[in-house]
Amino acid sequence: MPAVPMNGQNETAEGAREPQAFSGNGHSALREANDQLAEANAKLKAVTEHVDELKEKLAKLTHDFEVANASKQEAMDAVDQGERKLNLAQRLATALSSENERWGENVQTLRRDAKLLTGDVLLASAFISYAGPFNKPFRTHLMENVFKPFLLDGFRKVAGEDGTIPMSEDADPLKVLTNEAEIAQWNADLLPADTSSAENGCIVCNTSRWPLLIDPQLQGIRWLKQKEGATERNLQIVRLGQKDMMRKLESALENGHSLIIENIGESIDAVLNPVIQRATIKRGSRYFIKVGDKECDFHPDFRLYLHTKLSNPHYPPEIQAETTLVNFTVTMAGLEDQLLNLVVEKERPDLAATSADLVRKLNGFTITMNELEDNILYKLATAEGDITEDVALIEGLEETKRISNDIEHQSVLAKQTQADIIVTSEKYRTVANRSSLLFFFMNDLAKVHTYYRFSLAAFQQVFFRAIDLVSSKNNGAGSTSGGDADEDDEDDGEITVTSNSASNDDGVPLTSEQLTVRCECLKDSITMTLFNYIRRGLFEADKLTVATLLTLKILVNDGRLEANESEYLVHSKTSVDPGNMGPLQEWLPESAWAKIKCLQGLPCFNRLGDDMQTDSDEWSDWFDVENVENAQLPGTYDKDLTPFQKLILFRALRPDRLVYSLSSFIGDTMGKEYISQKPFDMKATFEETNSKTPIFFVLFAGVDPTPWVENLGREMGISLENKRFVNISMGQGQEAPAEAILKRYAKEGGWVMLQNCHLMSSWVPKLERLLEIVSEGAHEDFRCFLSAEPPPMASMRNMPESLMQSCIKVANEAPSNIQSNLIRAWDNFSQDTIDSCAKPTEMKACLFSLCWFHAVVSERNRFGPQGWSRKYSFNTGDLTICANVLRSYLDANDEVPWDDLRYIFGEIMYGGHITDAWDRRTCSTYLKVYQDPALLSSRTGVELAPGFKSPSPNDMDYSDYIKYVEECMPPESPALFGLHANAEIKALAQRTDSLFFNIIGMGLGGAGGSDNDISSTNNEDGGSSGSRASGNGLVSDTMKDLLARLPPEFELVALGIKAKPLLQGPDGPYLVVALQECSRMNALLAEMRRSLEDLDKGLKGQLNMTQEMEDLANALRLNQWPGRDPFSRCRWQQLAWPSNKSLSSQFQDLLARVEQLKEWTSAFKTPSCLWISGLFNPMSYLTALRQIVSRKCGKPLDKMTIETHVTNIYDPEKAKEMEAIDGAFIHGMYLEGGRWPRGEEAGDPFDVAGTPCAGSLVESAPKELLSEMPVIFVKVVPQDEEERGDDIYQCPVYYTSMRGPTYLFPASLRTSSCLTPEQAVLRGTAMILSDD
């Protein structure tokens, strides 16, 4: 190696130097060494250079190797990266492959929809703006028949025939406003799962105005509470008038929270107007709003919701414009689905639990799937760089897809399971359908009386109780054949159904046959239980109405009755041109013939008119039968007609017997229990209550609920003595004690009874809120009892709607027959009362007669205006005070002061209630008969009524009188009141008319349901039911017909000019009457024309619908003269004459009046025989007559009077041939409660001032309620020459049979022994100007 020689040389050199220092011979060796060194160094250099060269080559080779390795590694890395990208791309493609087709379709759909967005958004905007207040059918009507055609026509005009219309053919606002996931979330938040509710959710969530929820069933507010219940929303719920409302409002405004103002009325505090109007003030970038006198920050996240429980509120235009009304009233279809779930939950809890879980899962799946899809799209949209290199993204997408596939798989399984459950659940659909029908039937009853209000919560309680009441022996569970239970099981007792009641004893589900039987039992139980719940709170007069309506609804809904037959029964239509009656005119009323001809529209009656004319005698005999419902119909009609078709016939021919026929029909169809009611059971009623449910007693004369509550309380250990019961009679100053005791007993437990709440109308709304507050967490023994008198009219309100909905109502009226009234009146006294008098015999006799008098005058009200022309509330206090007066007068006088007693009783005590002079005459006549000295005679006595004499006071004590009444009292009849049998016929016919008028008012026209009703803007059935789907069409047709036939107005200016020269003549007063009548007619015609034209514009949308227009439309729908309802804002009745006729009949009357005025004013010649009924003011004509005769006689007008003489002229045309000296002929009058004989029965004629007269007042003919009077000669005579005598009956003349305020003048009629003046008074005999 080169290093070794070098070292050797160094060592040699060192060794050489050392000897050189010591010797001189070392120079040669040194040179040699140096040469060697140089040689070695050269070699070293060469080696070094070679080494360096090798190193360079090595470095180059190493570099080339490294470069090759790097290239190789780079290639390998590129291959690996490509493989990884390919793998990730494959995974990404796999993850998104299932979405590719759907997204592709969505892209195409979005591109297509983008072109249609203009029209779809316009339609959705219109839907949000206008559809909220309406029910589902009317919303559909608006969208399909109004909005869509309008937009399509507008787009076509712009785009042309070949242009593209920017609107979807099947445009649906819900597709624009929401999606399935959002709807699923709403459903999860307790929004009902029906289309109408989804639409409501869309409107609430998308409107730019604050929503106002019309929510009588509280389903909307329940959803809102859940939807806005998140912690960050800090939902606050307040009421108007609440102390801290403004503080909570300010806090919500400033912090962006949600606020619900619940249970508002029909007005809103003015302090809220800036908030409702969003009247914000901008300062810089901040917004402020004024609340009262304070400015608050307006946070953009603030949400305000207004809510009302009112079912049909009427808000002023400003509220409607500044808020979005949203109708959350439950729909029939929606409620049916809800009730189906409740039935299944009760009958099959296993299926219900599974179904509920599946619904929750499916809603959750829908929401999760939407979130996952959004997440995928978000990640893809926000990914940076090469997406195939983002492993985390792709792995996340794979996990998302895995979850999505898992959810989709579970959804398929869940939907399959749910479909199987639905198949089973649908078997209970008939039960849910019946129950839904019953709720809307119950909801409609508020149209009959404001006390008949019920909540959905109360209905559900009754619904569940009815299911529990079904006994297992009737449900088919114990029979494998599905038949009825064995007779041996009848004594097993009723078994309450448990939760697995839809299974056999061994747990096996029922067969289809058994389930059908079970469902029928459930329907019957629910119907009966609900009817009993309702009936307990009904007035006696309304019970048959409600039972009839329920029966008709169920029969039509179940397909057991044709809707058109139901309509014929309810409406009882008449033919406009019935034609000639032939032989029927001898006995059949014309009104009945018009109905018979209309009935021929039904196939079963298509030959009825001809058959009646052919067999007139047979039909006449049948018509005259008293209990016609039990008689066999002539011909083959008895076997050909169904029981219901017979009702239709009775409605046309014998409406007075329809009440009894209906009762029999309902009993046979629905069951006897729907007609006969068990006595009121206070304990059973109490068992239905809880601490949150008050009991509301309706107060009637002679009925006191206090003992019922007190006696029950003692049984349960609650009484005044142990201070757990408090009875407060409400009045001024009692508010604070009532509120304090309610709060105290709600905490401690106890009963509170608040009586006469109707006296505190301004406080009861506060009571309603207080009961809501204290019932939350109230003691289980807390109960509240309320009582109030009903308002004077059924449509008036004296109690809050929501309070009546929450109460169990009890209307337990006292028996209304005269025997019960008599016994109840006698029970107010005792033997001690009689013995306390100095003259016990006289006291006994007079007191019994007084009790009879009290019973008669109290019960006479049921005969309507013929009984008393006005309604009077005679009470027990009148009787007891009169008894005290009787005892005092007997003690103070030796003889019975009959005249004094009659005067005090008739003019002061009972007469103090009476405001009508003719009614006071009736009262005095009764006392003249009843308070008579013959009372004290043991031999004769007083005939209190036909077949019922006053008993001998010498032979009876107090208790004997009760036995005498119970044993000797004749059957109830009008004769007991001194009335003719026709009075009962009329009362029954009026009851029939009232019954069906209420049914028509509730909307029944033949349909059992109301999901097709588009005439009501309040709710899906508006609380309305029936076949009013064509209601607006009926209104429109009627309106157009009236406008077409409405005569033009009179030219008053021209008539005035024409009459001016004649006014100073002898007939001047008549001309004044004619001009006044024309002026009144013009006012009526102008108002009719204006209101009808306004309604036409309102229906077309050209004017806002006002309350007046709604009232007019409702009257047209009911065929009622507009304005007759005292609460109507329509003015027709104010400008018209008094009448009880229907709209169609009164309009015909109007046309006839116009014709008479035209004839009168054509030459201003007064008709020689005037149709006095055709005048607005008949008294003006009679006054003009007196004025003319007084001028002729030269006597003062106030000294002249009129006499009425009934002629033997029946044709007004014949009267024109005669002259009425000092008087005039009039016609068009009818007699009620009597009859004027004709022909030979009238007797020999007699002459009055040259006018032939004949006849005297006689008894009414059977079933002839109104007897047409002959032409009447009205003669003006001085007062001192007026015909008087005991045989002259001063007969009141009324405009209509309503009597009372329609009184005109007294007519003097001759009487005979057939009908004395006293008998005529008790008969209620009067003349009427209209035949109604």
Side-chain angles (χ1 to χ4, degrees):
M1 296 179 62
V4 176
M6 185 179 293
N7 292 339
Q9 288 181 349
N10 288 338
E11 291 177 358
T12 303
E14 290 294 334
R17 289 189 191 102
E18 184 176 354
Q20 187 178 10
F22 300 100
S23 108
N25 298 325
H27 291 284
S28 56
L30 178 61
R31 285 192 298 272
E32 184 179 356
N34 287 334
D35 293 337
Q36 292 177 351
L37 177 61
E39 183 180 359
N41 286 333
K43 290 180 180 179
L44 177 62
K45 181 179 180 182
V47 171
T48 302
E49 290 177 352
H50 181 67
V51 170
D52 290 340
E53 182 180 356
L54 291 175
K55 285 183 178 180
E56 289 179 1
K57 290 181 179 179
L58 177 62
K60 182 179 180 182
L61 290 172
T62 301
H63 174 71
D64 291 342
F65 177 75
E66 290 177 352
V67 170
N69 281 339
S71 298
K72 175 185 176 183
Q73 188 62 43
E74 184 178 354
M76 292 176 65
D77 290 343
V79 171
D80 291 341
Q81 184 178 4
E83 289 178 350
R84 285 196 302 270
K85 289 181 68 174
L86 179 61
N87 183 42
L88 290 174
Q90 289 175 346
R91 290 166 63 184
L92 178 63
T94 301
L96 300 179
S97 61
S98 62
E99 306 294 336
N100 182 47
E101 183 179 351
R102 185 167 60 85
W103 284 356
E105 293 176 355
N106 288 345
V107 169
Q108 295 299 323
T109 301
L110 289 173
R111 288 175 179 170
R112 184 177 67 254
D113 290 348
K115 300 177 182 178
L116 308 175
L117 201 58
T118 303
D120 291 353
V121 170
L122 272 174
L123 187 65
S125 302
F127 179 79
I128 294 174
S129 300
Y130 302 112
F134 302 109
N135 57 16
K136 174 60 179 172
F138 197 79
R139 288 178 184 177
T140 303
H141 170 74
L142 282 178
M143 301 302 294
E144 299 298 330
N145 301 330
V146 181
F147 293 163
K148 285 185 181 180
F150 174 78
L151 290 175
L152 290 173
D153 290 344
F155 287 139
R156 287 193 184 99
K157 291 177 182 177
V158 174
E161 294 183 0
D162 300 329
T164 301
I165 297 176
M167 180 174 158
S168 305
E169 292 183 3
D170 57 343
D172 184 359
L174 265 64
K175 294 180 180 179
V176 177
L177 300 172
T178 187
N179 53 58
E180 290 185 1
E182 189 174 22
I183 294 176
Q185 182 60 56
W186 294 342
N187 295 336
D189 290 336
L190 305 181
L191 183 71
D194 59 273
T195 307
S196 180
S197 296
E199 291 176 350
N200 291 336
C202 284
I203 296 172
V204 170
C205 294
N206 290 281
T207 179
S208 61
R209 297 172 289 179
W210 304 129
L212 196 167
L213 280 63
I214 301 171
D215 187 28
Q217 285 81 37
L218 307 182
Q219 294 190 336
I221 195 171
R222 182 182 63 172
W223 167 63
L224 277 183
K225 290 177 180 178
Q226 191 77 13
K227 174 180 174 294
E228 298 289 332
T231 306
E232 61 272 13
R233 295 305 303 157
N234 191 23
L235 175 65
Q236 299 293 320
I237 302 174
V238 298
R239 291 194 179 196
L240 294 178
Q242 190 171 317
K243 292 182 180 179
D244 59 348
M245 185 192 76
M246 299 307 297
R247 178 181 61 80
K248 291 184 177 180
L249 174 60
E250 293 168 6
S251 174
L253 281 167
E254 293 173 349
N255 298 302
H257 296 155
S258 298
L259 182 76
I260 297 177
I261 303 179
E262 67 172 349
N263 201 18
I264 66 173
E266 294 185 343
S267 61
I268 299 177
D269 290 348
V271 71
L272 295 176
N273 286 344
V275 181
I276 294 175
Q277 297 167 2
R278 297 176 186 254
T280 56
I281 306 166
K282 185 176 182 181
R283 293 196 181 98
S285 61
R286 298 171 63 187
Y287 287 89
F288 297 86
I289 195 166
K290 194 166 185 179
V291 181
D293 55 356
K294 180 180 178 181
E295 286 189 356
C296 300
D297 279 311
F298 185 82
H299 197 287
D301 292 335
F302 169 71
R303 293 291 179 271
L304 174 65
Y305 302 95
L306 305 174
H307 168 267
T308 179
K309 290 182 182 179
L310 300 178
S311 58
N312 189 22
H314 290 74
Y315 290 108
E318 57 270 19
I319 293 181
Q320 297 185 40
E322 293 160 1
T323 64
T324 298
L325 298 179
V326 189
N327 188 357
F328 269 87
T329 305
V330 65
T331 65
M332 181 170 284
L335 181 62
E336 183 176 321
D337 291 337
Q338 295 177 42
L339 292 174
L340 178 61
N341 293 334
L342 294 178
V343 174
V344 175
E345 181 180 348
K346 194 75 174 174
E347 292 286 293
R348 291 291 303 274
D350 54 334
L351 289 182
T354 304
S355 178
D357 184 58
L358 289 175
V359 169
R360 284 194 298 270
K361 285 183 178 180
L362 287 174
N363 287 339
F365 290 163
T366 304
I367 296 168
T368 304
M369 288 288 289
N370 187 71
E371 292 174 352
L372 292 175
E373 183 177 328
D374 291 345
N375 185 40
I376 291 173
L377 293 174
Y378 175 77
K379 287 182 177 181
L380 292 175
T382 57
E384 297 180 357
D386 190 349
I387 192 173
T388 59
E389 295 181 356
D390 193 340
V391 178
L393 170 63
I394 294 175
E395 289 178 349
L397 292 177
E398 286 181 327
E399 179 63 17
T400 299
K401 185 59 183 176
R402 185 191 64 78
I403 297 173
S404 175
N405 289 336
D406 186 47
I407 287 177
E408 186 174 356
H409 177 67
Q410 292 184 47
S411 295
V412 172
L413 295 178
K415 289 179 180 178
Q416 290 176 351
T417 306
Q418 190 179 43
D420 295 338
I421 292 175
I422 289 174
V423 171
T424 304
S425 300
E426 283 297 316
K427 295 178 181 179
Y428 291 94
R429 174 66 66 178
T430 57
V431 179
N433 175 264
R434 170 70 64 83
S435 302
S436 179
L437 176 75
L438 291 174
F439 171 75
F440 283 97
F441 154 75
M442 183 175 75
N443 204 38
D444 281 344
L445 295 180
K447 297 177 182 179
V448 178
H449 199 285
T450 55
Y451 275 10
Y452 303 160
R453 295 191 179 275
F454 306 90
S455 66
L456 180 59
F459 171 80
Q460 289 180 348
Q461 291 181 4
V462 177
F463 174 77
F464 285 130
R465 188 169 69 251
I467 294 177
D468 291 338
L469 288 175
V470 178
S471 61
S472 60
K473 68 181 180 181
N474 291 327
N475 64 16
S479 172
T480 58
S481 64
D484 296 335
D486 295 335
E487 294 181 1
D488 295 340
D489 294 334
E490 290 180 359
D491 297 328
D492 292 344
E494 187 173 84
I495 303 174
T496 301
V497 179
T498 58
S499 59
N500 62 345
S501 55
S503 302
N504 288 320
D505 294 337
D506 55 2
V508 178
L510 300 180
T511 64
S512 297
E513 293 80 4
Q514 292 172 331
L515 193 55
T516 301
V517 175
R518 172 75 182 172
C519 288
E520 288 300 318
C521 292
L522 288 174
K523 287 196 297 184
D524 293 343
S525 178
I526 293 170
T527 306
M528 187 70 250
T529 305
L530 182 75
F531 181 73
N532 283 332
Y533 178 82
I534 294 171
R535 179 167 58 180
R536 182 173 51 205
L538 297 178
F539 301 158
E540 287 294 330
D542 296 328
K543 289 180 179 178
L544 183 60
T545 302
V546 173
T548 301
L549 179 63
L550 175 63
T551 303
L552 294 179
K553 277 182 170 289
I554 289 176
L555 292 179
V556 174
N557 184 69
D558 292 352
R560 296 154 58 191
L561 177 65
E562 293 293 333
N564 63 333
E565 291 188 358
S566 172
E567 188 172 356
Y568 269 94
L569 175 68
V570 172
H571 289 279
S572 187
K573 299 177 181 179
T574 58
S575 174
V576 178
D577 184 17
N580 186 22
M581 296 176 63
L584 301 179
Q585 63 184 356
E586 297 179 4
W587 57 270
L588 185 67
E590 292 184 8
S591 59
W593 175 244
K595 292 179 180 180
I596 289 298
K597 296 299 288 184
C598 191
L599 277 187
Q600 293 186 165
L602 286 174
C604 58
F605 294 116
N606 59 357
R607 290 189 52 80
L608 179 61
D610 295 338
D611 291 342
M612 289 184 66
Q613 289 180 331
T614 303
D615 303 324
S616 176
D617 293 339
E618 277 189 69
W619 281 98
S620 176
D621 294 339
W622 175 86
F623 183 80
D624 289 336
V625 175
E626 182 178 356
N627 299 328
V628 70
E629 67 275 11
N630 299 324
Q632 184 173 348
L633 286 167
T636 62
Y637 284 97
D638 197 72
K639 63 178 182 179
D640 292 345
L641 298 181
T642 65
F644 189 83
Q645 290 167 349
K646 291 179 181 179
L647 292 180
I648 299 175
L649 186 61
F650 296 155
R651 176 88 160 105
L653 292 176
R654 288 293 302 273
D656 57 299
R657 302 306 301 177
L658 193 60
V659 170
Y660 303 103
S661 303
L662 277 173
S663 299
S664 299
F665 176 78
I666 294 170
D668 295 339
T669 305
M670 300 290 293
K672 299 298 182 184
E673 59 272 17
Y674 285 85
I675 297 301
S676 59
Q677 183 179 5
K678 295 180 180 179
F680 172 65
D681 187 343
M682 182 65 205
K683 187 174 183 180
T685 302
F686 179 82
E687 290 173 353
E688 297 179 23
T689 67
N690 54 47
S691 58
K692 298 181 180 180
T693 308
I695 295 182
F696 181 87
F697 295 102
V698 184
L699 297 178
F700 301 99
V703 176
D704 183 9
T706 307
W708 308 338
V709 178
E710 290 179 342
N711 294 337
L712 180 63
R714 291 190 187 95
E715 292 180 16
M716 306 182 69
I718 295 177
S719 63
L720 290 168
E721 290 76 14
N722 59 21
K723 298 183 179 179
R724 296 190 64 194
F725 175 72
V726 172
N727 185 1
I728 301 177
S729 181
M730 299 307 298
Q732 187 174 5
Q734 294 298 316
E735 301 95 326
E739 293 174 12
I741 200 65
L742 280 171
K743 294 176 182 178
R744 175 187 163 193
Y745 277 10
K747 294 179 180 179
E748 302 175 359
W751 293 7
V752 182
M753 188 168 189
L754 306 179
Q755 302 216 54
N756 302 313
C757 291
H758 60 283
L759 302 177
M760 312 292 290
S761 57
S762 61
W763 175 75
V764 284
K766 187 176 180 180
L767 169 65
E768 180 261 337
R769 176 57 178 163
L770 179 61
L771 286 173
E772 279 191 13
I773 295 173
V774 301
S775 63
E776 296 294 334
H779 192 282
E780 61 179 7
D781 290 337
F782 171 67
R783 293 293 187 277
C784 181
F785 304 89
L786 308 173
S787 71
E789 290 183 5
M793 302 186 67
S795 55
M796 293 177 63
R797 295 183 184 178
N798 65 358
M799 301 298 290
E801 178 178 328
S802 54
L803 178 62
M804 297 308 298
Q805 286 180 338
S806 63
C807 291
I808 290 178
K809 290 166 279 293
V810 177
N812 188 29
E813 293 184 61
S816 59
N817 58 74
I818 195 169
Q819 183 180 35
S820 300
N821 273 301
L822 178 58
I823 293 176
R824 191 162 53 249
W826 188 249
D827 281 342
N828 287 287
F829 311 103
S830 64
Q831 186 64 45
D832 293 338
T833 306
I834 298 171
D835 295 339
S836 65
C837 180
K839 300 182 178 63
T841 302
E842 289 83 350
M843 178 68 182
K844 195 177 350 178
C846 293
L847 183 61
F848 181 77
S849 175
L850 182 62
C851 290
W852 172 261
F853 166 75
H854 175 81
V856 168
V857 297
S858 298
E859 193 61 22
R860 190 178 170 97
N861 271 323
R862 70 184 175 94
F863 294 100
Q866 192 172 352
W868 297 114
S869 64
R870 301 173 189 266
K871 290 186 177 180
Y872 305 113
S873 55
F874 303 114
N875 53 60
T876 306
D878 301 321
L879 175 64
T880 55
I881 292 174
C882 286
N884 294 334
V885 171
L886 173 62
R887 184 177 63 243
S888 298
Y889 269 70
L890 289 178
D891 289 343
N893 293 275
D894 295 333
E895 299 292 334
V896 178
W898 299 106
D899 292 336
D900 294 347
L901 292 176
R902 293 190 197 104
Y903 181 83
I904 293 173
F905 296 163
E907 299 292 336
I908 299 176
M909 298 304 178
Y910 285 86
H913 293 279
I914 300 174
T915 57
D916 185 275
W918 302 105
D919 288 340
R920 187 174 286 108
R921 181 181 68 170
T922 303
C923 181
S924 299
T925 303
Y926 272 132
L927 287 168
K928 183 179 179 181
V929 175
Y930 299 154
Q931 293 294 324
D932 186 88
L935 284 172
L936 307 179
S937 172
S938 58
R939 184 170 54 87
T940 59
V942 172
E943 189 174 42
L944 301 175
F948 188 65
K949 288 189 174 183
S950 61
S952 172
N954 300 316
D955 304 330
M956 292 188 176
D957 59 11
Y958 174 83
S959 59
D960 291 332
Y961 274 89
I962 297 178
K963 294 179 182 178
Y964 177 76
V965 171
E966 293 175 344
E967 295 173 359
C968 301
M969 182 85 174
E972 186 90 1
S973 69
L976 300 180
F977 303 86
L979 291 162
H980 190 272
N982 284 353
E984 185 172 28
I985 294 176
K986 180 182 179 183
L988 291 172
Q990 288 178 338
R991 185 181 174 188
T992 297
D993 292 339
S994 175
L995 184 151
F996 287 107
F997 181 79
N998 285 332
I999 290 177
I1000 293 171
M1002 292 168 70
L1004 182 71
S1010 60
D1011 271 358
N1012 295 323
D1013 179 12
I1014 66 170
S1015 66
S1016 170
T1017 62
N1018 175 36
N1019 50 43
E1020 175 130 308
D1021 52 50
S1024 307
S1025 54
S1027 65
R1028 291 193 301 163
S1030 59
N1032 283 342
L1034 174 63
V1035 170
S1036 180
D1037 292 343
T1038 305
M1039 174 189 64
K1040 292 176 182 178
D1041 176 65
L1042 294 178
L1043 279 173
R1045 294 194 292 146
L1046 195 64
E1049 298 169 28
F1050 291 94
E1051 295 290 341
L1052 291 180
V1053 175
L1055 290 177
I1057 295 173
K1058 183 179 180 181
K1060 187 173 182 179
L1062 304 174
L1063 290 175
Q1064 302 304 320
D1067 290 342
Y1070 288 149
L1071 302 186
V1072 173
V1073 173
L1075 292 175
Q1076 289 176 347
E1077 290 291 316
C1078 290
S1079 176
R1080 292 188 180 97
M1081 183 61 73
N1082 272 7
L1084 175 59
L1085 294 175
E1087 174 62 18
M1088 292 175 67
R1089 197 180 311 277
R1090 180 201 64 80
S1091 58
L1092 288 170
E1093 290 174 350
D1094 285 352
L1095 177 60
D1096 184 34
K1097 294 176 182 177
L1099 293 176
K1100 293 177 179 177
Q1102 298 172 355
L1103 288 177
N1104 286 332
M1105 286 292 290
T1106 63
Q1107 184 61 47
E1108 178 187 352
M1109 294 182 192
E1110 288 188 12
D1111 293 339
L1112 176 57
N1114 191 50
L1116 298 183
R1117 187 180 297 114
L1118 298 176
N1119 193 27
Q1120 183 187 60
W1121 185 261
R1124 189 167 297 160
D1125 184 339
F1127 297 98
S1128 173
R1129 297 187 182 180
C1130 200
R1131 298 181 61 242
W1132 289 24
Q1133 186 61 46
Q1134 297 177 22
L1135 299 173
W1137 56 95
S1139 177
N1140 295 336
K1141 293 183 177 181
S1142 63
L1143 171 62
S1144 54
S1145 298
Q1146 190 163 346
F1147 191 79
Q1148 293 293 335
D1149 201 359
L1150 178 142
L1151 298 179
R1153 289 165 181 263
V1154 171
E1155 287 301 316
Q1156 176 171 266
L1157 287 177
K1158 283 182 179 179
E1159 181 181 353
W1160 192 351
T1161 57
S1162 61
F1164 280 108
K1165 181 180 179 182
T1166 306
S1168 55
C1169 184
L1170 182 74
W1171 176 41
I1172 195 169
S1173 306
L1175 301 181
F1176 284 86
N1177 183 11
M1179 286 305 298
S1180 64
Y1181 177 79
L1182 298 179
T1183 302
L1185 177 62
R1186 289 169 54 208
Q1187 190 175 0
I1188 290 174
V1189 176
S1190 66
R1191 288 177 181 176
K1192 177 181 176 182
C1193 299
K1195 294 186 177 181
L1197 179 63
D1198 59 349
K1199 299 296 183 181
M1200 307 297 288
T1201 187
I1202 60 172
E1203 292 179 348
T1204 52
H1205 301 278
V1206 183
T1207 70
N1208 59 2
I1209 305 170
Y1210 302 102
D1211 184 0
E1213 294 297 324
K1214 293 183 178 180
K1216 296 179 181 180
E1217 303 170 0
M1218 304 179 64
E1219 180 183 2
I1221 301 173
D1222 294 338
F1225 295 119
I1226 59 175
H1227 71 277
M1229 304 178 74
Y1230 299 85
L1231 196 60
E1232 183 179 37
R1235 177 174 58 88
W1236 203 263
R1238 296 189 175 199
E1240 295 181 359
E1241 186 184 6
D1244 297 331
F1246 56 91
D1247 184 84
V1248 177
T1251 299
C1253 300
S1256 60
L1257 196 60
V1258 297
E1259 289 280 14
S1260 300
K1263 301 180 185 63
E1264 187 181 31
L1265 306 184
L1266 289 176
S1267 172
E1268 187 174 3
M1269 293 290 288
V1271 172
I1272 293 178
F1273 173 43
V1274 179
K1275 186 174 185 297
V1276 180
V1277 297
Q1279 290 180 353
D1280 54 0
E1281 298 179 11
E1282 182 181 5
E1283 185 179 15
R1284 294 182 176 88
D1286 294 338
D1287 62 340
I1288 299 298
Y1289 171 62
Q1290 292 297 319
C1291 179
V1293 179
Y1294 297 95
Y1295 218 124
T1296 72
S1297 61
M1298 186 175 65
R1299 303 195 180 190
T1302 68
Y1303 170 72
L1304 294 172
F1305 64 94
S1308 51
L1309 299 180
R1310 294 177 180 272
T1311 63
S1312 64
S1313 58
C1314 296
L1315 190 65
T1316 65
E1318 289 78 11
Q1319 290 175 325
V1321 169
L1322 299 184
R1323 297 279 193 280
T1325 304
M1327 281 204 288
I1328 311 294
L1329 264 62
S1330 173
D1331 61 355
D1332 292 347

